[in-house]
Amino acid sequence: MSSSSSSSPSTSDEETLRRSRILKSKLYLDVPLPKVPIVYSASYDIAFLGIEKLHPFDSSKWGRICQFLISDGALDKKCIVEPLEASKDDLLVVHPESYLNSLKSSDNVARIIEVPPVALFPNCLVQQKVLCPFRNQVGGTILAAKLAKERGWAINVGGGFHHCSGEKGGGFCAYADISLCVHYAFVQLNISRVMIIDLDAHQGNGHELDFAGDRRVYILDMYNPGIYPFDYEARRYIDQKVEVMSGTTTNEYLKKLDEALEVAARMFDPELVVYNAGTDILDGDPLGMLKISPNGIANRDEKVFRFARERNIPIVMLTSGGYMKSSARIIADSVINLSQKCLIDMGKNGA
């Protein structure tokens, strides 16, 4: 059992309230079978008077991934699953009200998403143009776990806000979608063991803080220790830490990943894998500082999916970070490769 599930009355009351909120949530939609477990909504994409261009993240990446998949004939637009926006009650499953109230300050949001001019705008506009797209992506991550349990796999074309914990946002991450996804799975899917495989270039300090000491969750985090967030406290809560230094090349990276997955398989037997598949490991990414090729990213994703699928473990993939315009094309190509290797079935090519 989780060390957080202590016998103190206040903790017990919090767990009861959390469970009640999850059971009342509308986010676990029933999805008809003709739909493919790829989750996306046009409301994911952020367009805010051009100000979004002041952050290196490509805030139209999510829509462009789907456009590539559709134009390549790999995905039928009508088969995409559209999630609901996470409500305040949904978010309260992990976030205290004080944190959600702090997002009513444009100044706080500007700090979290690292775009200082956002502080100058009325909060109603910031909610509409920035936080609403994030809340839709949170709904997508949560729904993806249900789809993965039903279909074996699911990809949320957004999400992966791994720097946000229940108490604190940062690094372009305003809501803790990974922590929320896991808690919903515990209650709604009758799952008690989750493995988070975080292969974004940055350390996933948000979910690490949220699941500190929780033995139901096993975290494998492969990250560059020489870049943001330098969260040494959160590093103490990583079950399997694999540090990859700036300049690490494709072959070295994939060898380390193979070894890490072998260890993870021996250490933990999960009922769900949450895979945070950031593409900021790409050679040339201004923030990740690694040197992984586009083919290397496809190989990485294939290895993680093979790890889960060969063991019949449902897997949720989130796209997370990636700070080059080429990321969308590379993610689409990787998803197509997963389909061609029969690791996912998008209903188009007999995969």
Side-chain angles (χ1 to χ4, degrees):
M1 281 294 291
S2 158
S3 61
S4 64
S5 300
S6 66
S7 57
S8 71
S10 62
T11 306
S12 176
D13 291 347
E14 285 171 15
E15 285 300 319
T16 300
L17 183 56
R18 171 181 281 164
R19 183 178 178 83
S20 172
R21 285 192 168 116
I22 290 171
L23 291 172
K24 288 176 182 173
S25 174
K26 295 180 170 62
L27 294 178
Y28 264 29
L29 302 171
D30 285 325
V31 176
L33 269 176
K35 297 273 189 180
V36 172
I38 290 183
V39 186
Y40 168 75
S41 165
S43 58
Y44 280 19
D45 298 297
I46 297 173
F48 192 6
L49 307 175
I51 286 172
E52 71 279 358
K53 293 182 175 65
L54 296 176
H55 191 281
F57 190 86
D58 174 13
S59 58
S60 64
K61 175 179 86 171
W62 309 293
R64 291 174 58 240
I65 293 166
C66 285
Q67 286 168 12
F68 285 132
L69 291 172
I70 293 162
S71 63
D72 287 0
L75 179 65
D76 188 328
K77 185 177 181 179
K78 297 192 296 292
C79 291
I80 294 171
V81 177
E82 189 165 341
L84 297 176
E85 177 186 346
S87 69
K88 180 182 176 182
D89 258 14
D90 295 325
L91 299 169
L92 284 168
V93 165
V94 162
H95 294 291
E97 189 139 12
S98 57
Y99 175 73
L100 297 181
N101 285 337
S102 77
L103 299 179
K104 295 174 183 175
S105 157
S106 296
D107 193 51
N108 281 339
V109 177
R111 177 188 56 78
I112 288 167
I113 67 168
E114 301 171 335
V115 183
V118 165
L120 304 174
F121 286 84
N123 191 255
C124 60
L125 198 57
V126 174
Q127 293 283 337
Q128 178 192 348
K129 297 292 188 180
V130 179
L131 295 179
C132 180
F134 285 158
R135 289 192 295 268
N136 275 282
Q137 294 188 45
V138 170
T141 298
I142 291 169
L143 176 59
K146 175 180 184 283
L147 284 167
K149 181 78 184 293
E150 293 169 352
R151 314 284 186 91
W153 66 277
I155 297 170
N156 183 16
V157 174
F161 304 131
H162 66 157
H163 296 307
C164 187
S165 67
E167 300 281 347
K168 185 181 179 185
F172 203 69
C173 302
Y175 300 112
D177 68 319
I178 293 175
S179 302
L180 284 159
C181 171
V182 171
H183 279 292
Y184 272 71
F186 285 154
V187 173
Q188 290 273 31
L189 303 179
N190 198 28
I191 278 172
S192 59
R193 298 184 309 279
V194 177
M195 181 182 288
I196 298 171
I197 300 178
D198 195 334
L199 301 188
D200 187 277
H202 300 83
Q203 176 199 348
N205 57 323
H207 57 75
E208 288 157 7
L209 292 169
D210 282 342
F211 294 112
D214 191 331
R215 285 175 291 174
R216 299 172 298 176
V217 179
Y218 183 94
I219 298 172
L220 162 57
D221 196 347
M222 192 163 161
Y223 64 94
N224 183 346
I227 60 174
Y228 177 92
F230 303 106
D231 192 330
Y232 298 101
E233 181 195 352
R235 286 182 195 180
R236 291 164 41 210
Y237 308 126
I238 302 171
D239 297 284
Q240 192 180 337
K241 180 167 53 177
V242 182
E243 296 188 340
V244 283
M245 303 303 172
S246 295
T248 297
T249 56
T250 301
N251 288 342
E252 183 186 356
Y253 181 93
L254 293 176
K255 182 172 181 289
K256 281 196 167 193
L257 176 59
D258 283 336
E259 293 166 355
L261 291 174
E262 283 180 23
V263 171
R266 291 197 302 269
M267 296 298 293
F268 198 72
D269 179 24
E271 297 170 289
L272 176 71
V273 168
V274 178
Y275 171 35
N276 200 47
T279 47
D280 47 6
I281 65 169
L282 187 65
D283 188 8
D285 188 281
L287 302 186
M289 307 296 288
L290 302 175
K291 292 187 175 297
I292 314 307
S293 69
N295 279 341
I297 287 176
N299 286 335
R300 174 200 69 170
D301 295 347
E302 184 181 330
K303 287 174 186 293
V304 176
F305 267 77
R306 204 171 290 285
F307 168 87
R309 301 292 273 150
E310 286 180 350
R311 293 168 176 81
N312 293 314
I313 306 165
I315 179 170
V316 172
M317 173 174 158
L318 313 171
T319 58
S320 200
Y323 305 92
M324 297 173 71
K325 279 286 185 186
S326 56
S327 274
R329 177 72 262 178
I330 288 164
I331 293 166
D333 286 344
S334 179
V335 171
I336 291 167
N337 177 64
L338 293 174
S339 179
Q340 290 171 343
K341 297 293 172 62
C342 301
L343 292 165
I344 65 174
D345 180 1
M346 296 203 293
K348 295 287 281 188
N349 58 4

